[in-house]
Structures are given as C-alpha cells and as structure tokens.
Amino acid sequence: MEAIILVGGFGTRLRPLTYTIPKPLLPLANIPMVERMVRNLPTIFDTAILAVNYGLEEMKNYFENRNVGKKIIIVPEEEPLGTGGAMRNCINHVTGTVAVFNGDVVNSINLEEMLEQHINKKAKGTLALWEIDDPSRFGVVELKNNKILQFQEKPEKGTELSNLINAGTYLLEREILEMIPPNQKISIERDIYPKIAGNGLYGFPFKGHFIDSGTPKSYLEANFKCLGNDGTASHPGASIRGSCLIHKSVRLIDCIIGPNAVIGPDVKLEKCVIRNSVILSGVEGYGCVVEDSIIGPEISLKEDKKQILISPEGEITF
Ligand code: GTP
C-alpha cells in the first residue's frame, strides 16, 4: 500500500528557517519530520510517495542512498499544485486505496483502525478529525454516524458546523484522485471535499494529540512531544533538567540543559542555559541563556553582559 506525503509547501510561517532547510527536512527531536513520518508508517505500507515542489534538490539529496525502511518515490512538481493537484500528480504510483498526509503533522492517529473503518464503511474517502474549541481557522465538518455531511474551509467565527476539524490525514480511493483535474493548482480542502461531502466521505475522530508543526510555537511543541515524557539525555558537561535530547556529537561545558531541550549535531556550548528550545546543528555558544527559541543552524551565540532577547522566531537581540 502507498502513502502520499505532501511535502512541497514553502513553509512561509517558519521563515527564515525554511529559506535554508525545507520544512519537511527540519528535525523533530533530531530526525527530519518527513523521515519520522515515513518511519512511523505501519508495516502495511511499503511505499512512501513524496510530493515535492519547494526543496526538491534537498529532498533528493537527503533520501539518496538512505534506508528509511520503505521504498521512497519522489514526485516533483514544476509549479506548486496545491494539496489536491499534488496528490493527483502522484496517481501513476498509486495502486489502490492510498493514505495521504500533510507532511508537517504530528499526531496519535491509529492508522490501522482508520483503515478498518474506511473498508467497513466502503468509503470513497475518510478524513481523520480532531476536536478543538475554536475551529474557525480550519476545515470544519458536519458529522453524523461517521458520515461527513458538509465540509467548510475556514468558516467565519460563529458559523462553524461543529468543533471537528480536518487533521490532514486521509484515506482515499483512487476514484477521488481521478476526480481532480490534472496539472492544475487544486486545493483538496476547498475544491474537492465540499463536492463529495454527503456522498461517500467519512470522518474518523481520534483522541490523543495533534500538532501542526508549521509555526515557530507549534514547531517547538512538536519537538517536545516527540521527546516523550522521559528524560532521555545525559552528558558529563551538563546538568540535565527534565526531558531533553542531546545528539552524541554535542560538546558541552558547564551547561544547564532542560526542561524540554533538543540539541542537534555538532553543537558546542559553554556556560549556557537552554530551556524549552531547539538548538539546530552546528550552533556555538558561550555564556547565553536561551528560552522558548529555535536557534540555528550554524549560528554563533556570544557572551554578552546585557540581557539577550531571543524571540520565538529565532531572532536574537543583543
Ligand atoms: P506555510 O507557507 O507556512 O503555510 O506552510 P506550507 O507551505 O507547508 O503550507 P501548509 O502548512 O498549508 O501545507 C500543508 C501541507 O501540504 C504541508 O505538508 C505542505 O508541504 C503541503 N503542501 C502545501 N502546498 C503544496 C503544494 O503546492 N505542493 C505540494 N507537493 N505540497 C504542498
């Protein structure tokens, strides 16, 4: 069975990080988010199809000669085709029911249960659904006996049909892909789902967690979720507080790390305090306090007696 992973977006909300690293290759707890997604696919999936526009060369380079446990097919788009156009572009590699994922989501969906429901209901499409208090910025569904009766994309506040939102994970029959006009920019959420609501579209509500890691704040949250609840790191050069992950190549002297800290490869820190932050590869720092931030890659943080302010966007003010 194939899984299509949509990994072609520009990742504008994570700029400037995504100018140098395409969002799918940004690490979550030191593993690129797309690799983490491929590795987490249940065994029933033998192939991951990556629909790529922005970041094509980086993606090819990353997966060339790398074994991630599944066959990888990279399908390029000359122009961004949107979520629907991108999956249509992969149709030649799809042999039957296909799973489609937004490549930046961390969640607790049980895909095997979702597939069982999809088969039992003889659905044309099944959408994983997540319940939230304010659904107005999302795709909202009206659900009855697991049938999606209506689909609203980003409804005006107060007009939402329910609190259930599209969680960006789908099981689709090939006929849904065939409905999408080829070589055109199409949004599956705006252009296709509203048309098939009430006609073979089902919902699969799930509990647990759901994080769209596309903003600086949610990228940090997704990293900490991938850490789990256990303190996973130890280092002779640091006092460790709470859950942390420190890459084996990291050099630390007199540091306090955690709670919630991910330190990437080749980082060198001395007399630094790192809390609730992700330090990407190659960062060097001396005498710094870093909180609630994403730093790097390849950035040098120098000691300063004044207060150092680091925004969630990773901007540093001395
Ligand atoms: P922002 O620019 O910050 O909104 O991020 P984004 O470009 O990733 O867009 P968004 O988060 O809405 O996209 C959801 C998922 O669809 C992400 O995994 C994107 O990589 C993917 N995606 C969005 N547009 C395209 C596209 O035109 N082609 C492909 N292949 N994937 C897309």
Side-chain angles (χ1 to χ4, degrees):
M1 186 173 174
E2 296 88 22
I4 298 175
I5 308 184
L6 301 175
V7 283
F10 289 107
T12 52
R13 291 165 299 160
L14 276 174
R15 285 177 181 166
L17 285 176
T18 46
Y19 282 129
T20 45
I21 308 175
K23 181 165 68 172
L25 292 178
L26 278 175
L28 290 176
N30 285 346
I31 298 175
M33 42 178 108
V34 59
E35 179 179 347
R36 185 173 277 281
M37 193 166 254
V38 172
R39 287 187 183 277
N40 284 343
L41 287 171
T43 45
I44 184 170
F45 293 91
D46 53 19
T47 305
I49 306 168
L50 309 183
V52 188
N53 174 252
Y54 181 70
L56 176 63
E57 283 312 308
E58 290 91 336
M59 204 75 70
K60 278 188 190 161
N61 290 340
Y62 188 79
F63 283 102
E64 205 172 34
N65 304 325
R66 191 178 297 262
N67 182 359
V68 289
K70 311 276 178 198
K71 181 177 173 191
I72 299 285
I73 301 174
I74 294 180
V75 178
E77 293 154 49
E78 279 178 24
E79 297 293 325
L81 291 173
T83 49
M87 51 181 99
R88 177 66 169 84
N89 202 36
C90 298
I91 199 165
N92 291 341
H93 302 285
V94 173
T95 53
T97 308
V98 65
V100 182
F101 303 90
N102 281 357
D104 54 358
V105 168
V106 173
N107 63 41
S108 53
I109 297 168
N110 183 327
L111 274 176
E112 275 134 346
E113 276 180 20
M114 187 172 166
L115 186 59
E116 201 177 308
Q117 179 190 304
H118 180 83
I119 293 166
N120 288 342
K121 300 281 185 193
K122 299 190 172 55
K124 290 181 193 166
T126 303
L127 280 56
L129 302 175
W130 177 250
E131 194 173 340
I132 56 166
D133 291 338
D134 176 11
S136 57
R137 289 183 302 114
F138 300 89
V140 178
V141 304
E142 182 188 358
L143 194 70
K144 197 170 178 198
N145 299 330
N146 290 100
K147 274 190 183 153
I148 294 180
L149 301 180
Q150 286 189 73
F151 192 96
Q152 291 175 302
E153 187 60 17
K154 301 190 177 67
E156 287 220 355
K157 224 176 166 132
T159 67
E160 305 93 340
L161 294 167
S162 76
N163 285 353
L164 288 170
I165 63 160
N166 170 12
T169 297
Y170 320 123
L171 291 170
L172 301 176
E173 291 307 301
R174 210 170 183 277
E175 64 180 283
I176 303 280
L177 299 191
E178 283 162 2
M179 280 177 62
I180 305 171
N183 305 317
Q184 283 183 39
K185 188 162 186 174
I186 302 281
S187 156
I188 191 86
E189 300 88 348
R190 288 183 188 281
D191 303 323
I192 305 296
Y193 290 151
K195 285 189 192 146
I196 50 173
N199 184 19
L201 201 61
Y202 284 78
F204 179 78
F206 68 98
K207 302 249 180 262
H209 61 269
F210 166 71
I211 307 167
D212 160 358
S213 48
T215 68
K217 190 163 177 272
S218 64
Y219 174 70
L220 285 175
E221 199 191 333
N223 268 277
F224 306 148
K225 181 52 88 178
C226 292
L227 276 183
N229 296 322
D230 309 324
T232 51
S234 67
H235 195 287
S239 162
I240 307 290
R241 316 267 158 95
S243 279
C244 300
L245 185 65
I246 300 174
H247 191 270
K248 59 181 186 312
S249 58
V250 169
R251 280 171 47 193
L252 301 174
I253 301 172
D254 294 341
C255 291
I256 300 174
I257 308 290
N260 291 329
V262 179
I263 319 283
D266 305 318
V267 169
K268 292 178 193 154
L269 301 173
E270 185 170 351
K271 296 191 189 332
C272 290
V273 179
I274 312 290
R275 283 193 285 258
N276 297 316
S277 295
V278 172
I279 312 295
L280 297 171
S281 61
V283 169
E284 298 194 3
Y286 182 91
C288 307
V289 179
V290 178
E291 284 188 289
D292 305 318
S293 301
I294 308 157
I295 303 290
E298 320 293 334
I299 279 176
S300 188
L301 299 166
K302 301 226 171 64
E303 183 190 28
D304 196 297
K305 298 287 180 250
K306 291 178 295 184
Q307 198 185 7
I308 302 168
L309 298 173
I310 302 172
S311 76
E313 286 77 32
E315 286 172 0
I316 305 163
T317 316
F318 292 102

